[in-house]
Amino acid sequence: MAQHRSPRVPNWVILGDGLFLLGVTLVGEVTHGISLLSPRWLTTFIPLLIGWALSALPLGLYHTSYASRFGVSVRTLWAVLLAVPLAAWLRGFWLQTPVIPLFVLVLIATTGVTLAIWRAIAALLLRARKV
């Protein structure tokens, strides 16, 4: 019987996305002098996860045909450009504060670079494993 490959990426790719988003969040909190013992970091992390899920899914980043390509970093950057403004809006709504454009730009830059590098590494690993 022929085996069919799942079109969905392995769970470690999804977990990696979450860990890298968590890393961006925690580094941002620390650079602003906010204690990681405070749950305030969740007000950035949770909206960022939601924004990422809502943008990465439709752009095919959880489908192996896209996730294992060399150009996955470009698709990742498009997802970040959609995810971060949504996340910033959700965060502002949650905290009942205005969204600061500089915050959005810095979050786009840091998240974009971080996830683009992570997704390029993941694509190499997926191709090496012939997933």
Side-chain angles (χ1 to χ4, degrees):
M1 182 179 225
Q3 285 186 337
H4 296 282
R5 293 183 193 176
S6 170
R8 189 174 69 86
V9 297
N11 290 335
W12 60 265
V13 175
I14 299 166
L15 179 62
D17 287 353
L19 289 174
F20 278 91
L21 290 171
L22 177 62
V24 166
T25 301
L26 296 179
V27 168
E29 297 291 325
V30 168
T31 59
H32 288 287
I34 298 170
S35 171
L36 298 182
L37 298 176
S38 165
R40 182 166 169 91
W41 61 269
L42 291 169
T43 64
T44 301
F45 180 61
I46 291 172
L48 199 52
L49 276 179
I50 292 168
W52 178 250
L54 291 175
S55 64
L57 283 169
L59 287 172
L61 288 171
Y62 291 115
H63 195 281
T64 55
S65 65
Y66 293 117
S68 61
R69 290 184 182 172
F70 281 111
V72 70
S73 293
V74 173
R75 193 174 286 259
T76 300
L77 292 174
W78 280 112
V80 168
L81 284 172
L82 294 172
V84 170
L86 173 60
W89 181 84
L90 289 171
R91 181 179 183 274
F93 182 76
W94 184 350
L95 295 174
Q96 294 297 296
T97 59
V99 175
I100 300 169
L102 183 59
F103 169 73
V104 176
L105 293 174
V106 170
L107 193 57
I108 286 172
T110 56
T111 305
V113 168
T114 302
L115 284 180
I117 291 170
W118 155 241
R119 280 311 197 102
I121 292 167
L124 289 171
L125 294 172
L126 287 170
R127 280 194 304 278
R129 298 175 92 193
K130 293 181 176 49
V131 173

